[in-house]
Amino acid sequence: MTIDEFLEKISNNKKRFTEYNDIKYSKFKAYAEIQNITGLIEAIPFLLSSNHNSLPGYIQGYEPIGILNYQPSSNAINYIVRKFPAVQPVPNKNNGPVVELMAIMGSAGTIAYNEESDIDYWLCIDEGSIDTKTIEQFKSKLRDVELWITDNHNIETHFFLNDISKVKDDIFDADEEDISGKALGKLLKDEFYRSSILLYGKIPFWWAIPPGSTDENYEKYLKVVKDSQFKDDFIDLGNLNIVQKEEFLGAGLFQILKSLGNPFKSILKIGILEKYLLEEDKSTLLCNRLKAEIQKGNYDTGFVDGYIFMFNQVLEYYQKKAEEDPFALEVLKRCFYIKIDPRLSEIGNIEDKKFIPEKQSIMMDYTKKWNWLSAKIRQMDDFHNWELTALNKFWNNISKLILKTYKKILDNIETQIIEKQFTGDELQYISRRIRSSFSYGTNKIKPAISFNDNPIEKFLFIESISQEDGSILWLLSKGFISGAGSSKRSIMHKESSLLAILAWIAINRLFQKNVTRIEIKSRYQLLEKTFVRELLNELTLHFSPKKVNIKNKYFFHDPFPVLNFIIINLSAKYPKGIEDVYYLYHNSWGETIYEKYEREIDLSAILTKLLNGAVEHSDTFINSVYITSPYPYKASKSFKSILFLFNDIYEFFTVKEPDEIPGTITRKYLTVLGGNFILFSHQIVNKENKVTSNVFNTELTMLYSLSSLQGIKNIIRVNPLNPELNHLKIIIENFRADAVQIYYQKARKYCYFFVSDERGSIFFFRKKADNFQDYLTRLYMFSRNIIIQVKKNNPESVFNNKESKGIEIFKLDRNDLNKCRISEINPSKDENIFRHEKKVVPLKLSLLLLESGELGYRFSLPDGGISENLTRTEIEAVSGEMSVLMQTNQGYNYSVTDINFSNLDLKMYKNFTTYGFTEKNRFELLIEKGGNF
Amino acid sequence: MSSDINNLLRDKIPEIQLDLNTVKIDTTVPFDLYDEYGNVVVEINTPLTEPLIKHLKSTGIKYLYYNPAQSKAKENPAGLDTGKNVLDESQQKESIDLAKEVLDSIKSTIDFTPKSITPDKIKKTYKHVDDILNHIENNSDSIFIPFNKLKSMSEYTYIHSSNVSILGALLGARLEYNRTVRVRMGVGGLFHDIGKVLVDDKILNKESQLTEDEFRLIRNHPQLGYNLVKDSRELSTLEKSIVLFHHERPDGQGYPFKYDYNSYTGNVPKEVRLLSICDAYSSLTIKTPYREAFSPKKALRIILNSVYAPFKKKSQFLPADVRDFIRSLGFMLNKGEYFFEKGETVRLSSGEIAVIEEMNRLYPINPKIRMITNKQLKALDRPVTIDLLREPSIFIAHIFDRSTMVQAGSKS
């Protein structure tokens, strides 16, 4: 082929694409007109490419990025003038940086589009030619405009900003993770090429070249075109030819996982996956198949409509296999019909086809082909009113189909292909997740089988009935007008608790305030009905699964809560404290769970779960947690303090320190709940964040557990509303990262010592009041000695800084009302310490590693010798001997004054004072535990 | 953010994870190993021994990480054996071979001048002891049975020197002496009998009774040895003192100087005195073609019975030294068992006879006793129970035994 012939071909393909795109666009516009959003749709590019303080998305000091080839239409101008009188619509600038391609993706312009559908926009820019600040400002504008459209037009709109060169490499804005590598990007590109409608800017060059072109040819063609008259017509978003089966498997499985809550989407996705993996020798992507038809000038609906095109591909595959699995084919057809919801039985006998809307006309063709009788069509049209049994049966069939197909895929794919993509553990998680979506335990709330994007009901009826075994069952019915015109009710769902019913309504978006009338009839439970209605509204607003962002990597771990909703004292009429707590959450696998608790202390279990999720997903408290209660409890101090606690602890574990390097800080949060001390600790295990909680009955046990923190930096926070913790609060607030701080508090029987080390760990020691001066002196000696060791072993230690404070000593006073204050004592000028030190016989503790893996100890004895190696148990056993030695050797005491780590090969013990204090504490406690002190 | 955190984390990504559940025991990684938080847990080239892994797991650490891209590997110390049983037979054989190599090389020279011990040989010895110490320090709770089987008497000096070297280094470690002293005690142990290379093998290996002259020749070996080493630049005063003083004793019957108690305590350094105990222990526990070896228990009892006490005419060791030796190595040598028991009859350093009532671990030679006689060995009407822990100056100076009392010490 000569260059001219080639360019003619390019010109021809360009023309075909433009025609095809125009058809799609006109269909979209037709829907937009019905929806009355033409003005908005045509004005959106104007909103994005302007920056006026009266317009949504205004960013101060931002020089807008334009949109190539966009000029506001009359519809857009009218819309702008009407909505924003202060704004003068001016032509779009094209001389600065521009969006080189703006397109709509997804169901827009297809048979599946309706007024509830989301609209996804793709914007492509050359990031290299625009400064980072401008890009960030643009992104911020996009978010603002998204929100404005949702709020003002009730249309969920998303803008995905892509860098042209990244798209070329199959990396997209929406593709936030790297788990399945490029494969997911390739699938996304396939979807983009076959389902997008180009609005403004250049045509993707891929559309101009023959289907199935190799990457090498793509580049060759591109080079030729760049030197031709078409050089400004195309945008290079990269080629897309084939995807290897194993890559496809990885990416496809994720798509299935994400679509599990949506039955029809799942069936289509898994169907395509099965078709690609089992049918094709080479995975010819759907986009190439489509391009072949379009370049032939075949603008049949089956090709122009991306949704029908995809459905036909799967249908064709199942038809081929109909003999071995007729059941699958039937499920697919029914799902498709219900999804499109054409209501063919309501059309009647319209003779002239041209009066039949396109959607119905297309579906009539299908049902005719499938030989569906009118009774069957009526039955399908009545899907919305199906009884529970029929619904469940249908759901089971869908489940069976998905599981069967999944199994077939796994069985047929060579193991090594799978292993290339996933580890055994990962694959197990995927299987677990898929199975889990079809199994329902008592606490799991099953999603409704809805194909409807607008499921809001006008009338809902909730009632409780007593079952034979005495338990109560809650039924949810909806009201509808029967074919005969009379009002009827049909049971939609049943649950064992009212909250589960309410949650089910919320997650399935059946309720909308001011639209849905709800009636509640309960014979067995006192219910504040107004609160229940209000609760339903709160659930709908704050517990929508749509708020949950599930990432691919979540499927490789046990599920954790992502969106939390807590109701306190739902069924308690006049509660004194906390009498019941309902905990509802959406987890990272897309499941909805509810749990019931009865005591205040149970809040710690809820918090632990919730925090384990929070440290993984890192969403803000306001987005992730909602706590409510009926009045009057909601107005109580107790409720407010719970609200504060949840917020405070959440922020503590999720908000990072400035410049924090992930994984270097351990955090502990201390609070009082139900009269117990609760310590929440954050740990990292196998790079996974874990929050655990421990309950302590006494302050003493809690204080001893505060020690032993492993992070390079440790942060402890106490609930500021708990006066019982004021002493710790004051110590924490006084923390210095370049000192060992000793605090002492004298009481009648005991004296208490706290040590805050350079990493923020806090150690607690309790001694008899008589030993105060001796212990303080020894603690001071110990601190001095360990700092010397750390300085020697760790040149980077803060103690090697000239400004380091070394050791600080504070007297801590705490009165009966828990009011605390501290006053500093200068140890180098303290006569008592100085005098006492002269009398002290030092005890040096030496640590070593025993064969068993535990630490062994030896220590200096009053005769200057050293004990043999002792295990922890043996230390307890020599407690009596220690007591004798103390009686007979004045100045000798088991309180450690120095420590030797040189026999240990564990660097971690030597770099900080932390482990020294831990082992000192342990040794002394073991001796004390021996019973002679 | 302090610089130490940044430094620690600089090496974090990309990193390699070691799962402590699956990592091969004794793996040595030529990089510092970090925990989840970026703490250096194990330093470069430290063998991940079973105890170490168990310990880390017990502290909640499941994985360690290292970053090969940024850490700089150091050379693995040559000859470092990462085996769990450091002092198993094959490893002790290496020590014996070294002793043979060093001592034979002197023997093979004609003139027996100080130049016979080449600096290379000494350096090799230092390195060897250093390696042994690495193992000893990492296996601080294992037992130690010195090599004790001889094929022929000609092997005696090599095996014995090796044993004394290992025991000396081990004792130095247990007493927390600094590393240099530990090594020197080990090297001193290896060289302590160097003077014997100048004594005729026929005398050394003689089966029958030695003549007075022959005894004199043997007793001259510390001085002969000292002459060989005294000018060495590689050996320190400590090793040289070990060679010279290892047969001195507090009762004036030692050699070459026959020090009395005061001269002994004043002139012979503590480390040398301790090595003399190691020397005695090794001699007692080696089985020769001519006599059975004593069991560790028996050998320890003999050593205790050789401790100085005012009532004794003969004594070989000072109480504080015996106490340190027993505290440090007693259990280790005797497979974790006490070498005397409750109910045994003993004589106290103050002269009384007593029966042991209860053992004390921190002061093993100061148990709780029931005194049954006075200092003049007259039976008490009413026995008195005393916890010797409260009287640390009094200790067990002799354990009565049904078998014959054997004077501790080497053949010499």
PDB file of all heavy atoms in Angstrom, chain A residues 665-689:
ATOM      1  N   ILE A 665       5.508   4.395  63.730  1.00  0.00           N
ATOM      2  CA  ILE A 665       4.960   4.859  65.005  1.00  0.00           C
ATOM      3  C   ILE A 665       3.956   3.851  65.538  1.00  0.00           C
ATOM      4  O   ILE A 665       3.120   3.346  64.797  1.00  0.00           O
ATOM      5  CB  ILE A 665       4.278   6.238  64.811  1.00  0.00           C
ATOM      6  CG1 ILE A 665       5.329   7.259  64.389  1.00  0.00           C
ATOM      7  CG2 ILE A 665       3.565   6.676  66.081  1.00  0.00           C
ATOM      8  CD1 ILE A 665       4.815   8.664  64.234  1.00  0.00           C
ATOM      9  N   THR A 666       4.077   3.532  66.806  1.00  0.00           N
ATOM     10  CA  THR A 666       3.001   2.750  67.418  1.00  0.00           C
ATOM     11  C   THR A 666       2.197   3.693  68.294  1.00  0.00           C
ATOM     12  O   THR A 666       2.740   4.599  68.903  1.00  0.00           O
ATOM     13  CB  THR A 666       3.515   1.602  68.300  1.00  0.00           C
ATOM     14  OG1 THR A 666       4.537   2.102  69.126  1.00  0.00           O
ATOM     15  CG2 THR A 666       4.008   0.452  67.484  1.00  0.00           C
ATOM     16  N   ARG A 667       0.930   3.436  68.332  1.00  0.00           N
ATOM     17  CA  ARG A 667       0.050   4.306  69.090  1.00  0.00           C
ATOM     18  C   ARG A 667      -0.729   3.503  70.120  1.00  0.00           C
ATOM     19  O   ARG A 667      -1.129   2.362  69.858  1.00  0.00           O
ATOM     20  CB  ARG A 667      -0.932   4.993  68.134  1.00  0.00           C
ATOM     21  CG  ARG A 667      -0.295   6.028  67.242  1.00  0.00           C
ATOM     22  CD  ARG A 667      -1.305   6.602  66.259  1.00  0.00           C
ATOM     23  NE  ARG A 667      -0.826   7.843  65.700  1.00  0.00           N
ATOM     24  CZ  ARG A 667      -0.010   7.945  64.660  1.00  0.00           C
ATOM     25  NH1 ARG A 667       0.412   6.846  64.079  1.00  0.00           N
ATOM     26  NH2 ARG A 667       0.386   9.117  64.217  1.00  0.00           N
ATOM     27  N   LYS A 668      -0.920   4.124  71.261  1.00  0.00           N
ATOM     28  CA  LYS A 668      -1.770   3.508  72.286  1.00  0.00           C
ATOM     29  C   LYS A 668      -2.746   4.557  72.787  1.00  0.00           C
ATOM     30  O   LYS A 668      -2.355   5.706  72.999  1.00  0.00           O
ATOM     31  CB  LYS A 668      -0.933   2.990  73.451  1.00  0.00           C
ATOM     32  CG  LYS A 668      -0.107   1.777  73.087  1.00  0.00           C
ATOM     33  CD  LYS A 668       0.340   0.994  74.295  1.00  0.00           C
ATOM     34  CE  LYS A 668       1.108  -0.242  73.837  1.00  0.00           C
ATOM     35  NZ  LYS A 668       1.291  -1.230  74.868  1.00  0.00           N
ATOM     36  N   TYR A 669      -3.964   4.138  72.964  1.00  0.00           N
ATOM     37  CA  TYR A 669      -4.992   5.059  73.439  1.00  0.00           C
ATOM     38  C   TYR A 669      -5.641   4.440  74.662  1.00  0.00           C
ATOM     39  O   TYR A 669      -6.004   3.268  74.665  1.00  0.00           O
ATOM     40  CB  TYR A 669      -6.043   5.287  72.349  1.00  0.00           C
ATOM     41  CG  TYR A 669      -7.040   6.384  72.680  1.00  0.00           C
ATOM     42  CD1 TYR A 669      -6.870   7.659  72.154  1.00  0.00           C
ATOM     43  CD2 TYR A 669      -8.130   6.150  73.506  1.00  0.00           C
ATOM     44  CE1 TYR A 669      -7.779   8.677  72.442  1.00  0.00           C
ATOM     45  CE2 TYR A 669      -9.037   7.158  73.802  1.00  0.00           C
ATOM     46  CZ  TYR A 669      -8.854   8.421  73.257  1.00  0.00           C
ATOM     47  OH  TYR A 669      -9.744   9.432  73.547  1.00  0.00           O
ATOM     48  N   LEU A 670      -5.771   5.258  75.671  1.00  0.00           N
ATOM     49  CA  LEU A 670      -6.272   4.768  76.930  1.00  0.00           C
ATOM     50  C   LEU A 670      -7.560   5.486  77.290  1.00  0.00           C
ATOM     51  O   LEU A 670      -7.630   6.715  77.219  1.00  0.00           O
ATOM     52  CB  LEU A 670      -5.190   5.063  77.974  1.00  0.00           C
ATOM     53  CG  LEU A 670      -5.259   4.351  79.299  1.00  0.00           C
ATOM     54  CD1 LEU A 670      -5.305   2.853  79.116  1.00  0.00           C
ATOM     55  CD2 LEU A 670      -4.014   4.721  80.093  1.00  0.00           C
ATOM     56  N   THR A 671      -8.550   4.700  77.681  1.00  0.00           N
ATOM     57  CA  THR A 671      -9.814   5.318  78.085  1.00  0.00           C
ATOM     58  C   THR A 671     -10.469   4.491  79.191  1.00  0.00           C
ATOM     59  O   THR A 671     -10.015   3.385  79.497  1.00  0.00           O
ATOM     60  CB  THR A 671     -10.762   5.460  76.878  1.00  0.00           C
ATOM     61  OG1 THR A 671     -11.886   6.243  77.266  1.00  0.00           O
ATOM     62  CG2 THR A 671     -11.255   4.113  76.382  1.00  0.00           C
ATOM     63  N   VAL A 672     -11.498   5.041  79.772  1.00  0.00           N
ATOM     64  CA  VAL A 672     -12.259   4.298  80.779  1.00  0.00           C
ATOM     65  C   VAL A 672     -13.653   4.063  80.211  1.00  0.00           C
ATOM     66  O   VAL A 672     -14.291   4.990  79.718  1.00  0.00           O
ATOM     67  CB  VAL A 672     -12.357   5.111  82.090  1.00  0.00           C
ATOM     68  CG1 VAL A 672     -13.157   4.343  83.144  1.00  0.00           C
ATOM     69  CG2 VAL A 672     -10.961   5.424  82.629  1.00  0.00           C
ATOM     70  N   LEU A 673     -14.076   2.800  80.257  1.00  0.00           N
ATOM     71  CA  LEU A 673     -15.426   2.450  79.764  1.00  0.00           C
ATOM     72  C   LEU A 673     -16.047   1.473  80.744  1.00  0.00           C
ATOM     73  O   LEU A 673     -15.408   0.465  81.089  1.00  0.00           O
ATOM     74  CB  LEU A 673     -15.340   1.788  78.391  1.00  0.00           C
ATOM     75  CG  LEU A 673     -15.259   2.650  77.136  1.00  0.00           C
ATOM     76  CD1 LEU A 673     -15.096   1.766  75.912  1.00  0.00           C
ATOM     77  CD2 LEU A 673     -16.487   3.528  76.980  1.00  0.00           C
ATOM     78  N   GLY A 674     -17.230   1.766  81.170  1.00  0.00           N
ATOM     79  CA  GLY A 674     -17.920   0.857  82.089  1.00  0.00           C
ATOM     80  C   GLY A 674     -17.097   0.525  83.322  1.00  0.00           C
ATOM     81  O   GLY A 674     -17.110  -0.608  83.794  1.00  0.00           O
ATOM     82  N   GLY A 675     -16.346   1.488  83.805  1.00  0.00           N
ATOM     83  CA  GLY A 675     -15.554   1.285  85.022  1.00  0.00           C
ATOM     84  C   GLY A 675     -14.256   0.530  84.815  1.00  0.00           C
ATOM     85  O   GLY A 675     -13.519   0.265  85.757  1.00  0.00           O
ATOM     86  N   ASN A 676     -13.947   0.156  83.588  1.00  0.00           N
ATOM     87  CA  ASN A 676     -12.690  -0.547  83.287  1.00  0.00           C
ATOM     88  C   ASN A 676     -11.762   0.358  82.499  1.00  0.00           C
ATOM     89  O   ASN A 676     -12.207   1.262  81.794  1.00  0.00           O
ATOM     90  CB  ASN A 676     -12.970  -1.787  82.444  1.00  0.00           C
ATOM     91  CG  ASN A 676     -13.729  -2.833  83.225  1.00  0.00           C
ATOM     92  OD1 ASN A 676     -13.182  -3.526  84.061  1.00  0.00           O
ATOM     93  ND2 ASN A 676     -15.030  -2.895  82.971  1.00  0.00           N
ATOM     94  N   PHE A 677     -10.483   0.046  82.629  1.00  0.00           N
ATOM     95  CA  PHE A 677      -9.510   0.761  81.805  1.00  0.00           C
ATOM     96  C   PHE A 677      -9.334  -0.022  80.513  1.00  0.00           C
ATOM     97  O   PHE A 677      -9.130  -1.234  80.546  1.00  0.00           O
ATOM     98  CB  PHE A 677      -8.165   0.854  82.526  1.00  0.00           C
ATOM     99  CG  PHE A 677      -8.218   1.724  83.749  1.00  0.00           C
ATOM    100  CD1 PHE A 677      -8.508   1.184  84.989  1.00  0.00           C
ATOM    101  CD2 PHE A 677      -7.996   3.086  83.653  1.00  0.00           C
ATOM    102  CE1 PHE A 677      -8.579   1.975  86.121  1.00  0.00           C
ATOM    103  CE2 PHE A 677      -8.064   3.890  84.772  1.00  0.00           C
ATOM    104  CZ  PHE A 677      -8.353   3.345  86.019  1.00  0.00           C
ATOM    105  N   ILE A 678      -9.412   0.675  79.413  1.00  0.00           N
ATOM    106  CA  ILE A 678      -9.248  -0.014  78.121  1.00  0.00           C
ATOM    107  C   ILE A 678      -8.041   0.604  77.413  1.00  0.00           C
ATOM    108  O   ILE A 678      -7.947   1.821  77.271  1.00  0.00           O
ATOM    109  CB  ILE A 678     -10.467   0.157  77.187  1.00  0.00           C
ATOM    110  CG1 ILE A 678     -11.776   0.099  77.954  1.00  0.00           C
ATOM    111  CG2 ILE A 678     -10.427  -0.838  76.045  1.00  0.00           C
ATOM    112  CD1 ILE A 678     -12.268  -1.225  78.332  1.00  0.00           C
ATOM    113  N   LEU A 679      -7.188  -0.285  76.972  1.00  0.00           N
ATOM    114  CA  LEU A 679      -5.995   0.178  76.266  1.00  0.00           C
ATOM    115  C   LEU A 679      -6.065  -0.317  74.820  1.00  0.00           C
ATOM    116  O   LEU A 679      -6.109  -1.518  74.565  1.00  0.00           O
ATOM    117  CB  LEU A 679      -4.745  -0.379  76.954  1.00  0.00           C
ATOM    118  CG  LEU A 679      -3.406   0.037  76.372  1.00  0.00           C
ATOM    119  CD1 LEU A 679      -3.213   1.545  76.492  1.00  0.00           C
ATOM    120  CD2 LEU A 679      -2.270  -0.675  77.091  1.00  0.00           C
ATOM    121  N   PHE A 680      -6.120   0.610  73.901  1.00  0.00           N
ATOM    122  CA  PHE A 680      -6.127   0.267  72.474  1.00  0.00           C
ATOM    123  C   PHE A 680      -4.705   0.422  71.944  1.00  0.00           C
ATOM    124  O   PHE A 680      -4.092   1.466  72.155  1.00  0.00           O
ATOM    125  CB  PHE A 680      -7.061   1.202  71.694  1.00  0.00           C
ATOM    126  CG  PHE A 680      -8.499   1.050  72.069  1.00  0.00           C
ATOM    127  CD1 PHE A 680      -9.057   1.812  73.082  1.00  0.00           C
ATOM    128  CD2 PHE A 680      -9.302   0.120  71.421  1.00  0.00           C
ATOM    129  CE1 PHE A 680     -10.384   1.666  73.442  1.00  0.00           C
ATOM    130  CE2 PHE A 680     -10.637  -0.026  71.764  1.00  0.00           C
ATOM    131  CZ  PHE A 680     -11.175   0.744  72.788  1.00  0.00           C
ATOM    132  N   SER A 681      -4.217  -0.586  71.281  1.00  0.00           N
ATOM    133  CA  SER A 681      -2.836  -0.525  70.785  1.00  0.00           C
ATOM    134  C   SER A 681      -2.805  -0.817  69.303  1.00  0.00           C
ATOM    135  O   SER A 681      -3.503  -1.700  68.817  1.00  0.00           O
ATOM    136  CB  SER A 681      -1.967  -1.561  71.483  1.00  0.00           C
ATOM    137  OG  SER A 681      -2.197  -1.542  72.850  1.00  0.00           O
ATOM    138  N   HIS A 682      -1.958  -0.093  68.655  1.00  0.00           N
ATOM    139  CA  HIS A 682      -1.785  -0.288  67.208  1.00  0.00           C
ATOM    140  C   HIS A 682      -0.486  -1.035  66.953  1.00  0.00           C
ATOM    141  O   HIS A 682       0.555  -0.690  67.487  1.00  0.00           O
ATOM    142  CB  HIS A 682      -1.741   1.084  66.546  1.00  0.00           C
ATOM    143  CG  HIS A 682      -1.376   1.019  65.100  1.00  0.00           C
ATOM    144  ND1 HIS A 682      -0.417   1.808  64.544  1.00  0.00           N
ATOM    145  CD2 HIS A 682      -1.833   0.229  64.101  1.00  0.00           C
ATOM    146  CE1 HIS A 682      -0.307   1.515  63.262  1.00  0.00           C
ATOM    147  NE2 HIS A 682      -1.151   0.574  62.976  1.00  0.00           N
ATOM    148  N   GLN A 683      -0.572  -2.096  66.182  1.00  0.00           N
ATOM    149  CA  GLN A 683       0.629  -2.852  65.857  1.00  0.00           C
ATOM    150  C   GLN A 683       0.647  -3.115  64.360  1.00  0.00           C
ATOM    151  O   GLN A 683      -0.369  -3.036  63.697  1.00  0.00           O
ATOM    152  CB  GLN A 683       0.593  -4.220  66.547  1.00  0.00           C
ATOM    153  CG  GLN A 683       0.782  -4.130  68.038  1.00  0.00           C
ATOM    154  CD  GLN A 683       0.591  -5.494  68.661  1.00  0.00           C
ATOM    155  OE1 GLN A 683      -0.356  -6.199  68.337  1.00  0.00           O
ATOM    156  NE2 GLN A 683       1.496  -5.853  69.541  1.00  0.00           N
ATOM    157  N   ILE A 684       1.840  -3.463  63.893  1.00  0.00           N
ATOM    158  CA  ILE A 684       1.927  -3.831  62.481  1.00  0.00           C
ATOM    159  C   ILE A 684       2.427  -5.273  62.413  1.00  0.00           C
ATOM    160  O   ILE A 684       3.455  -5.595  62.997  1.00  0.00           O
ATOM    161  CB  ILE A 684       2.895  -2.921  61.722  1.00  0.00           C
ATOM    162  CG1 ILE A 684       2.522  -1.462  61.968  1.00  0.00           C
ATOM    163  CG2 ILE A 684       2.863  -3.215  60.231  1.00  0.00           C
ATOM    164  CD1 ILE A 684       3.532  -0.486  61.437  1.00  0.00           C
ATOM    165  N   VAL A 685       1.654  -6.115  61.754  1.00  0.00           N
ATOM    166  CA  VAL A 685       2.067  -7.504  61.602  1.00  0.00           C
ATOM    167  C   VAL A 685       2.018  -7.823  60.117  1.00  0.00           C
ATOM    168  O   VAL A 685       0.983  -7.671  59.489  1.00  0.00           O
ATOM    169  CB  VAL A 685       1.130  -8.456  62.387  1.00  0.00           C
ATOM    170  CG1 VAL A 685       1.557  -9.900  62.189  1.00  0.00           C
ATOM    171  CG2 VAL A 685       1.129  -8.092  63.863  1.00  0.00           C
ATOM    172  N   ASN A 686       3.133  -8.279  59.619  1.00  0.00           N
ATOM    173  CA  ASN A 686       3.239  -8.571  58.187  1.00  0.00           C
ATOM    174  C   ASN A 686       2.723  -7.404  57.349  1.00  0.00           C
ATOM    175  O   ASN A 686       1.946  -7.572  56.426  1.00  0.00           O
ATOM    176  CB  ASN A 686       2.479  -9.860  57.839  1.00  0.00           C
ATOM    177  CG  ASN A 686       2.832 -10.359  56.460  1.00  0.00           C
ATOM    178  OD1 ASN A 686       3.846  -9.953  55.886  1.00  0.00           O
ATOM    179  ND2 ASN A 686       2.006 -11.219  55.906  1.00  0.00           N
ATOM    180  N   LYS A 687       3.142  -6.234  57.740  1.00  0.00           N
ATOM    181  CA  LYS A 687       2.793  -5.003  57.029  1.00  0.00           C
ATOM    182  C   LYS A 687       1.300  -4.686  57.118  1.00  0.00           C
ATOM    183  O   LYS A 687       0.801  -3.830  56.412  1.00  0.00           O
ATOM    184  CB  LYS A 687       3.229  -5.063  55.548  1.00  0.00           C
ATOM    185  CG  LYS A 687       4.724  -5.154  55.347  1.00  0.00           C
ATOM    186  CD  LYS A 687       5.414  -3.850  55.625  1.00  0.00           C
ATOM    187  CE  LYS A 687       6.858  -4.033  55.983  1.00  0.00           C
ATOM    188  NZ  LYS A 687       7.426  -2.986  56.796  1.00  0.00           N
ATOM    189  N   GLU A 688       0.591  -5.440  57.940  1.00  0.00           N
ATOM    190  CA  GLU A 688      -0.819  -5.123  58.106  1.00  0.00           C
ATOM    191  C   GLU A 688      -1.023  -4.407  59.419  1.00  0.00           C
ATOM    192  O   GLU A 688      -0.423  -4.765  60.430  1.00  0.00           O
ATOM    193  CB  GLU A 688      -1.640  -6.419  58.124  1.00  0.00           C
ATOM    194  CG  GLU A 688      -1.978  -6.921  56.750  1.00  0.00           C
ATOM    195  CD  GLU A 688      -2.901  -8.117  56.825  1.00  0.00           C
ATOM    196  OE1 GLU A 688      -3.989  -7.995  57.399  1.00  0.00           O
ATOM    197  OE2 GLU A 688      -2.502  -9.178  56.317  1.00  0.00           O
ATOM    198  N   ASN A 689      -1.860  -3.424  59.397  1.00  0.00           N
ATOM    199  CA  ASN A 689      -2.146  -2.669  60.613  1.00  0.00           C
ATOM    200  C   ASN A 689      -3.176  -3.406  61.451  1.00  0.00           C
ATOM    201  O   ASN A 689      -4.178  -3.873  60.931  1.00  0.00           O
ATOM    202  CB  ASN A 689      -2.724  -1.308  60.228  1.00  0.00           C
ATOM    203  CG  ASN A 689      -1.689  -0.464  59.570  1.00  0.00           C
ATOM    204  OD1 ASN A 689      -0.748  -0.029  60.226  1.00  0.00           O
ATOM    205  ND2 ASN A 689      -1.819  -0.255  58.270  1.00  0.00           N
TER     206      ASN A 689
END
